[in-house]
Amino acid sequence: MAWSRYQLGLAALMLLTGSINTLAAKWADNFSAAGCSRTEEHSFQHPFLQAVGMFLGEFSCLAVFYLLLWRDRRRPEPSMAPSQPFSPLLFLPPALCDMTGTSIMYVALNMTSASSFQMLRGSVIIFTGLLSVAFLGRKLELSQWLGILVTIVGLVVVGLADLHSSHDQKHKLSEVITGDLLIIMAQVIVAIQMVLEEKFVYKHDVHPLRAVGTEGFFGFIILALLLVPMYYIPAGSFSGNPRRVLEDALDAFCQIGRQPLIALALLGNISSIAFFNFAGISVTKEISATTRMVLDSLRTVVIWAVSLALGWELFHGLQILGFAILLTGAALYNGLHRPVLTRLAWSRADGSEAEREGLLHAENAAINSER
């Protein structure tokens, strides 16, 4: 079945905004500017402030939800089913996980390349699978266990590619290793978030945009308030700002004032996450969850290609191998192999039928010729 123009637009929007989300965050990290009090020029390393911006983007999904709800209620026959009564505090535990995982990932993005960052995020299926068995009582199929094992192999290959290419980049080897480990650690927290959502939230049949927006609201408020104590907590060499504190939001705003392109990068990050969530939910509804997973994997290719074109990183063949293995693992875990096997079975059956008919026609022809 061919896609409509609307479906093609949704798929393109998801791929584009998903790629922009990571690329805009990395673009902001690559800028250098002077901070407050005329401090010398230094790189823009403010992961917690960037995480606040991301949650602002998620929070905006709540406005989109109420806009769609208002539009739907004006129709003669509303199509949006009313959700069951629920407490918004149900979203607080997943939001805390999202806040922690996102903050760790933005810290890690300062230490490694954008493509490796995106590839290593694929490790989430390992921890989601294991936690769903432990806490949701789910039984994984053989193909899912195989997908987890293949993903582990893919992570090792991507890690080796990072080790080989770290000498040619601005990041030190120790930074690359730390960044990669932080990304994988963050996926454990993301997996906990997914399990919590499935166990306590999904049974209330909450609209996805409302769920994303509510989690964004909690994440934005809590993390924005945490920026105050972070301004005073010393972080030593782990910090990238002149005051060596966990987060210096004032320094970030001074840098933005002196280099306006940083504001453009942050705006791209905030707006892209909102459109990405909307497009992702719409793709699942209008096309399929499988298509959404494939598009999410394809944005890794886009991020890698753009990073190479802009000179942010150097080409390494092991990354292609690692990405291919990770893609295979994700496909096995999500059951993408089943349609392929079904098609092969059908084609073999059609081939056997055609061969049988050919033989029958040949026999009939032989009999007729003898007569």
Side-chain angles (χ1 to χ4, degrees):
M1 179 178 165
W3 287 4
S4 66
R5 287 185 180 180
Y6 177 65
Q7 290 173 328
L8 282 170
L10 286 174
L13 182 65
M14 181 184 167
L15 183 61
L16 181 65
T17 54
S19 304
I20 289 173
N21 183 245
T22 300
L23 290 168
K26 190 63 182 178
W27 187 33
D29 293 342
N30 288 340
F31 280 111
S32 292
C36 300
S37 303
R38 296 294 177 183
T39 55
E40 62 181 31
E41 193 172 288
H42 54 281
S43 59
F44 186 84
Q45 292 189 22
H46 298 281
F48 297 100
L49 185 69
Q50 284 179 295
V52 170
M54 195 217 72
F55 283 114
L56 180 60
E58 286 191 359
F59 182 26
S60 66
C61 290
L62 206 56
V64 176
F65 165 74
Y66 283 114
L67 182 65
L68 292 174
L69 187 65
W70 172 78
R71 185 181 171 188
D72 186 68
R73 283 179 177 174
R74 295 187 67 187
R75 293 176 177 174
E77 295 182 4
S79 58
M80 291 176 70
S83 60
Q84 301 173 9
F86 69 96
S87 171
L89 291 176
L90 274 174
F91 291 95
L92 183 57
L96 291 173
C97 291
D98 194 8
M99 182 186 73
T100 308
T102 301
S103 299
I104 292 172
M105 282 191 280
Y106 276 122
V107 170
L109 188 57
N110 282 302
M111 301 178 176
T112 189
S113 64
S115 61
S116 294
F117 169 82
Q118 195 64 38
M119 288 181 197
L120 292 172
R121 290 177 70 176
S123 62
V124 69
I125 67 170
I126 299 171
F127 308 111
T128 305
L130 296 176
L131 289 175
S132 64
V133 170
F135 296 102
L136 299 177
R138 183 172 296 158
K139 290 183 179 179
L140 297 184
E141 298 178 8
L142 180 62
S143 62
Q144 290 178 307
W145 286 112
L146 186 60
I148 288 173
L149 290 174
V150 171
T151 301
I152 293 171
V153 175
L155 292 175
V156 172
V157 175
V158 172
L160 288 172
D162 277 351
L163 292 179
H164 281 285
S165 59
S166 62
H167 302 293
D168 305 319
Q169 297 177 356
K170 63 177 182 179
H171 302 295
K172 298 177 184 176
L173 180 60
S174 58
E175 285 183 347
V176 172
I177 294 172
T178 305
D180 288 356
L181 291 175
L182 283 175
I183 295 167
I184 295 171
M185 186 194 305
Q187 302 320 300
V188 179
I189 301 169
V190 172
I192 294 171
Q193 175 194 345
M194 290 180 175
V195 170
L196 286 173
E197 286 173 344
E198 187 163 345
K199 192 170 181 67
F200 300 110
V201 177
Y202 290 164
K203 63 183 179 183
H204 294 280
D205 194 27
V206 183
H207 192 280
L209 279 175
R210 190 178 186 183
V212 171
T214 307
E215 285 186 15
F217 167 75
F218 282 119
F220 174 72
I221 296 296
I222 294 170
L223 197 54
L225 290 173
L226 286 175
L227 289 179
V228 177
M230 285 180 183
Y231 185 80
Y232 300 100
I233 298 173
S237 59
F238 185 74
S239 171
N241 56 72
R243 292 180 59 247
R244 297 299 176 189
V245 291
L246 200 56
E247 181 60 281
D248 191 342
L250 293 179
D251 178 68
F253 288 121
C254 288
Q255 286 188 290
I256 292 169
R258 291 186 169 88
Q259 177 52 273
L261 285 177
I262 299 175
L264 182 63
L266 295 178
L267 184 62
N269 188 33
I270 293 168
S271 56
S272 64
I273 193 67
F275 282 106
F276 176 67
N277 279 295
F278 170 75
I281 290 164
S282 300
V283 164
T284 303
K285 182 182 175 182
E286 297 288 336
I287 309 174
S288 69
T290 302
T291 304
R292 184 177 181 176
M293 198 282 289
V294 172
L295 290 170
D296 201 42
S297 300
L298 282 176
R299 69 180 176 133
T300 305
V301 179
V302 176
I303 290 165
W304 188 37
V306 173
S307 298
L308 288 172
L310 295 174
W312 290 355
E313 55 186 276
L314 299 174
F315 175 82
H316 202 288
L318 270 179
Q319 277 195 317
I320 297 179
L321 178 62
F323 173 67
I325 297 171
L326 286 172
L327 195 60
T328 304
L332 286 169
Y333 185 85
N334 288 283
L336 289 186
H337 62 289
R338 293 194 193 100
V340 177
L341 293 176
T342 303
R343 253 183 208 182
L344 286 173
W346 275 106
S347 63
R348 284 179 182 176
D350 290 343
S352 300
E353 189 67 30
E355 188 178 350
R356 194 178 296 112
E357 287 180 6
L359 287 171
L360 287 172
H361 284 308
E363 286 176 4
N364 290 335
I367 291 170
N368 290 333
S369 63
E370 284 178 0
R371 284 182 184 177

